[in-house]
Amino acid sequence: DAGITQSPRYKITETGRQVTLMCHQTWSHSYMFWYRQDLGHGLRLIYYSAAADITDKGEVPDGYVVSRSKTENFPLTLESATRSQTSVYFCASSESQGSPLHFGNGTRLTVT
Amino acid sequence: AQTVTQSQPEMSVQEAETVTLSCTYDTSESDYYLFWYKQPPSRQMILVIRQEAYKQQNATENRFSVNFQKAAKSFSLKISDSQLGDAAMYFCAYTHTGANSKLTFGKGITLSVRP
């Protein structure tokens, strides 16, 4: 099915562990984004990518790593999870600048 | 840096009535896009409406319309004939059209609909 898929949908991990959140889109959109959603903060941009092998920091990049070796995949890695990274994470893609974002269903991550 | 402000954290509307959600933004750009997204309890992010800054005409999508005041940097969403399914969190968002543009969101407003 065409669309954007995030996995897992829910994840519980311990402080200090490495966690990778997956994002896959089937539209071949150039742009992909990772946001985190926290109460009182709305959605804040972590990282984004304009094309394969091109990534850039957003508003809150500390503690996160991304890669984009293929156009369709944009994984987000928490190298050493902290409790402050407990959040809902959204991946999104868009065809071009100014185009609406298409969002995945989000991953709820809890760091204990 | 661009900022998007939604000053009302919560609003409530009676079913079948009209409600307006406020949004202001700050930018030095002249060409940009504005969006309203809806997030129901399912957590899914759904595009409601999109406005291009160079268009003076306000965007409309069925029961949803915007009041875009470029000089005032205001972008409010009007929901007519409110339905129970409109209950959700609504986010206003902005992006400019230049290089390295990315979508900046407001903090959101929770809309409840009273039957």
Side-chain angles (χ1 to χ4, degrees):
Chain A
D1 290 340
I4 183 164
T5 306
Q6 288 185 239
S7 61
R9 188 152 172 82
Y10 299 92
K11 176 73 176 178
I12 300 174
T13 191
E14 295 177 342
T15 301
R17 291 198 180 262
Q18 183 180 80
V19 177
T20 296
L21 309 184
M22 305 301 293
C23 180
H24 175 80
Q25 53 110 351
T26 59
W27 291 300
S28 298
H29 284 170
S30 296
Y31 293 85
M32 296 189 75
F33 307 83
W34 274 106
Y35 287 88
R36 60 177 289 174
Q37 182 179 12
D38 304 288
L39 200 61
H41 291 279
L43 279 80
R44 293 180 292 175
L45 183 65
I46 305 171
Y47 270 95
Y48 67 104
S49 169
D53 297 322
I54 300 175
T55 62
D56 206 351
K57 296 178 180 179
E59 182 184 354
V60 288
D62 293 344
Y64 302 95
V65 174
V66 293
S67 62
R68 195 161 176 213
S69 57
K70 293 183 178 181
T71 299
E72 60 266 30
N73 296 324
F74 192 40
L76 176 73
T77 297
L78 289 67
E79 293 191 302
S80 179
T82 64
R83 290 197 179 116
S84 65
Q85 293 176 310
T86 292
S87 186
V88 177
Y89 291 85
F90 284 97
C91 179
S93 71
S94 71
E95 187 176 13
S96 61
Q97 291 176 333
S99 297
L101 264 60
H102 299 267
F103 285 86
N105 287 329
T107 294
R108 180 177 292 279
L109 176 68
T110 302
V111 183
T112 63
Chain B
Q2 292 82 15
T3 58
V4 178
T5 303
Q6 295 179 254
S7 56
Q8 307 153 304
E10 297 179 350
M11 286 196 74
S12 179
V13 63
Q14 189 75 35
E15 193 176 6
E17 296 294 309
T18 296
V19 64
T20 298
L21 311 183
S22 301
C23 174
T24 59
Y25 58 95
D26 185 27
T27 183
S28 58
E29 303 286 340
S30 60
D31 197 12
Y32 50 86
Y33 295 91
L34 296 161
F35 304 84
W36 278 98
Y37 280 87
K38 171 185 177 181
Q39 187 182 41
S42 66
R43 208 167 71 197
Q44 186 180 5
M45 293 288 289
I46 302 166
L47 176 68
V48 175
I49 203 162
R50 173 191 182 206
Q51 175 77 44
E52 297 163 45
Y54 66 86
K55 288 187 177 179
Q56 293 186 344
Q57 186 174 5
N58 290 324
T60 299
E61 288 287 342
N62 300 315
R63 296 182 296 108
F64 298 87
S65 61
V66 299
N67 183 4
F68 174 47
Q69 301 289 328
K70 191 172 184 179
K73 296 180 182 176
S74 171
F75 183 60
S76 59
L77 176 70
K78 185 172 81 171
I79 306 174
S80 304
D81 186 23
S82 297
Q83 301 175 0
L84 295 178
D86 295 333
M89 181 165 276
Y90 288 82
F91 292 96
C92 178
Y94 161 97
T95 184
H96 66 80
T97 59
N100 299 319
S101 65
K102 51 256 188 193
L103 205 58
T104 300
F105 286 86
K107 293 184 178 180
I109 177 170
T110 300
L111 176 68
S112 59
V113 180
R114 304 185 302 275

